[in-house]
mmCIF file of all heavy atoms in Angstrom:
data_model
loop_
_atom_site.group_PDB
_atom_site.id
_atom_site.type_symbol
_atom_site.label_atom_id
_atom_site.label_comp_id
_atom_site.label_asym_id
_atom_site.label_seq_id
_atom_site.Cartn_x
_atom_site.Cartn_y
_atom_site.Cartn_z
ATOM 1 N N ASN W 737 14.157 -7.475 -1.544
ATOM 2 C CA ASN W 737 14.858 -8.743 -1.350
ATOM 3 C C ASN W 737 15.689 -9.100 -2.581
ATOM 4 O O ASN W 737 16.824 -9.577 -2.465
ATOM 5 C CB ASN W 737 13.857 -9.851 -1.026
ATOM 6 C CG ASN W 737 14.525 -11.077 -0.458
ATOM 7 O OD1 ASN W 737 15.684 -11.067 -0.087
ATOM 8 N ND2 ASN W 737 13.788 -12.165 -0.407
ATOM 9 N N LEU W 740 18.758 -6.910 -2.433
ATOM 10 C CA LEU W 740 19.672 -7.382 -1.391
ATOM 11 C C LEU W 740 20.486 -8.569 -1.903
ATOM 12 O O LEU W 740 21.701 -8.629 -1.726
ATOM 13 C CB LEU W 740 18.889 -7.781 -0.137
ATOM 14 C CG LEU W 740 19.686 -8.480 0.960
ATOM 15 C CD1 LEU W 740 20.732 -7.549 1.537
ATOM 16 C CD2 LEU W 740 18.754 -8.971 2.050
ATOM 17 N N LYS W 741 19.833 -9.496 -2.574
ATOM 18 C CA LYS W 741 20.540 -10.676 -3.073
ATOM 19 C C LYS W 741 21.469 -10.330 -4.232
ATOM 20 O O LYS W 741 22.496 -10.964 -4.424
ATOM 21 C CB LYS W 741 19.536 -11.753 -3.462
ATOM 22 C CG LYS W 741 18.885 -12.318 -2.209
ATOM 23 C CD LYS W 741 17.911 -13.413 -2.486
ATOM 24 C CE LYS W 741 17.382 -13.904 -1.141
ATOM 25 N NZ LYS W 741 16.499 -15.012 -1.244
ATOM 26 N N PHE W 742 21.113 -9.306 -5.000
ATOM 27 C CA PHE W 742 21.985 -8.848 -6.081
ATOM 28 C C PHE W 742 23.306 -8.340 -5.519
ATOM 29 O O PHE W 742 24.374 -8.640 -6.025
ATOM 30 C CB PHE W 742 21.289 -7.748 -6.883
ATOM 31 C CG PHE W 742 22.177 -7.078 -7.892
ATOM 32 C CD1 PHE W 742 22.524 -7.726 -9.072
ATOM 33 C CD2 PHE W 742 22.680 -5.814 -7.657
ATOM 34 C CE1 PHE W 742 23.348 -7.110 -9.999
ATOM 35 C CE2 PHE W 742 23.507 -5.190 -8.581
ATOM 36 C CZ PHE W 742 23.840 -5.843 -9.760
ATOM 37 N N TYR W 743 23.219 -7.564 -4.458
ATOM 38 C CA TYR W 743 24.415 -7.002 -3.851
ATOM 39 C C TYR W 743 25.109 -7.982 -2.909
ATOM 40 O O TYR W 743 26.240 -7.768 -2.522
ATOM 41 C CB TYR W 743 24.088 -5.710 -3.096
ATOM 42 C CG TYR W 743 23.813 -4.562 -4.015
ATOM 43 C CD1 TYR W 743 22.529 -4.089 -4.188
ATOM 44 C CD2 TYR W 743 24.836 -3.950 -4.733
ATOM 45 C CE1 TYR W 743 22.264 -3.030 -5.043
ATOM 46 C CE2 TYR W 743 24.589 -2.899 -5.585
ATOM 47 C CZ TYR W 743 23.299 -2.445 -5.741
ATOM 48 O OH TYR W 743 23.054 -1.403 -6.590
ATOM 49 N N GLU W 744 24.417 -9.039 -2.503
ATOM 50 C CA GLU W 744 24.935 -10.049 -1.592
ATOM 51 C C GLU W 744 25.606 -9.438 -0.364
ATOM 52 O O GLU W 744 26.744 -9.761 -0.010
ATOM 53 C CB GLU W 744 25.910 -10.991 -2.313
ATOM 54 C CG GLU W 744 25.225 -11.868 -3.333
ATOM 55 C CD GLU W 744 26.109 -12.981 -3.859
ATOM 56 O OE1 GLU W 744 27.189 -13.214 -3.299
ATOM 57 O OE2 GLU W 744 25.700 -13.631 -4.817
ATOM 58 N N SER W 745 24.900 -8.512 0.272
ATOM 59 C CA SER W 745 25.444 -7.897 1.480
ATOM 60 C C SER W 745 24.320 -7.717 2.486
ATOM 61 O O SER W 745 23.164 -7.970 2.188
ATOM 62 C CB SER W 745 26.080 -6.559 1.133
ATOM 63 O OG SER W 745 25.132 -5.697 0.570
ATOM 64 N N GLY W 746 24.681 -7.249 3.650
ATOM 65 C CA GLY W 746 23.688 -7.061 4.699
ATOM 66 C C GLY W 746 22.914 -5.770 4.529
ATOM 67 O O GLY W 746 23.428 -4.788 4.009
ATOM 68 N N VAL W 758 19.710 -8.164 7.819
ATOM 69 C CA VAL W 758 19.478 -9.359 7.024
ATOM 70 C C VAL W 758 20.614 -9.508 6.033
ATOM 71 O O VAL W 758 20.976 -8.553 5.344
ATOM 72 C CB VAL W 758 18.135 -9.255 6.269
ATOM 73 C CG1 VAL W 758 17.875 -10.502 5.436
ATOM 74 C CG2 VAL W 758 16.998 -9.030 7.249
ATOM 75 N N CYS W 759 21.164 -10.713 5.970
ATOM 76 C CA CYS W 759 22.249 -10.995 5.034
ATOM 77 C C CYS W 759 21.829 -12.098 4.078
ATOM 78 O O CYS W 759 20.999 -12.947 4.413
ATOM 79 C CB CYS W 759 23.495 -11.453 5.786
ATOM 80 S SG CYS W 759 24.179 -10.211 6.880
ATOM 81 N N HIS W 760 22.431 -12.106 2.924
ATOM 82 C CA HIS W 760 22.227 -13.176 1.956
ATOM 83 C C HIS W 760 22.828 -14.457 2.533
ATOM 84 O O HIS W 760 23.852 -14.406 3.223
ATOM 85 C CB HIS W 760 22.908 -12.805 0.638
ATOM 86 C CG HIS W 760 22.620 -13.747 -0.472
ATOM 87 N ND1 HIS W 760 23.262 -14.946 -0.615
ATOM 88 C CD2 HIS W 760 21.746 -13.667 -1.493
ATOM 89 C CE1 HIS W 760 22.799 -15.575 -1.678
ATOM 90 N NE2 HIS W 760 21.882 -14.817 -2.234
ATOM 91 N N GLY W 761 22.229 -15.569 2.263
ATOM 92 C CA GLY W 761 22.715 -16.840 2.789
ATOM 93 C C GLY W 761 24.133 -17.170 2.364
ATOM 94 O O GLY W 761 24.847 -17.906 3.044
ATOM 95 N N ALA W 762 24.573 -16.614 1.239
ATOM 96 C CA ALA W 762 25.915 -16.887 0.741
ATOM 97 C C ALA W 762 26.897 -15.760 1.056
ATOM 98 O O ALA W 762 27.961 -15.675 0.450
ATOM 99 C CB ALA W 762 25.863 -17.107 -0.772
ATOM 100 N N SER W 763 26.543 -14.909 2.006
ATOM 101 C CA SER W 763 27.417 -13.777 2.346
ATOM 102 C C SER W 763 28.759 -14.268 2.868
ATOM 103 O O SER W 763 28.819 -15.161 3.712
ATOM 104 C CB SER W 763 26.770 -12.901 3.413
ATOM 105 O OG SER W 763 25.632 -12.267 2.901
ATOM 106 N N PRO W 764 29.843 -13.662 2.405
ATOM 107 C CA PRO W 764 31.173 -14.035 2.900
ATOM 108 C C PRO W 764 31.390 -13.475 4.311
ATOM 109 O O PRO W 764 30.653 -12.595 4.764
ATOM 110 C CB PRO W 764 32.127 -13.390 1.893
ATOM 111 C CG PRO W 764 31.363 -12.254 1.314
ATOM 112 C CD PRO W 764 29.915 -12.676 1.323
ATOM 113 N N ILE W 768 29.407 -10.459 6.809
ATOM 114 C CA ILE W 768 28.814 -10.704 8.127
ATOM 115 C C ILE W 768 29.415 -9.745 9.149
ATOM 116 O O ILE W 768 28.708 -9.167 9.977
ATOM 117 C CB ILE W 768 29.023 -12.172 8.562
ATOM 118 C CG1 ILE W 768 28.388 -13.136 7.549
ATOM 119 C CG2 ILE W 768 28.489 -12.399 9.959
ATOM 120 C CD1 ILE W 768 26.885 -12.966 7.365
#
Side-chain angles (χ1 to χ4, degrees):
N737 195 12
L740 172 65
K741 290 182 178 184
F742 172 75
Y743 287 107
E744 292 191 11
S745 60
V758 180
C759 297
H760 187 280
S763 293
I768 301 300

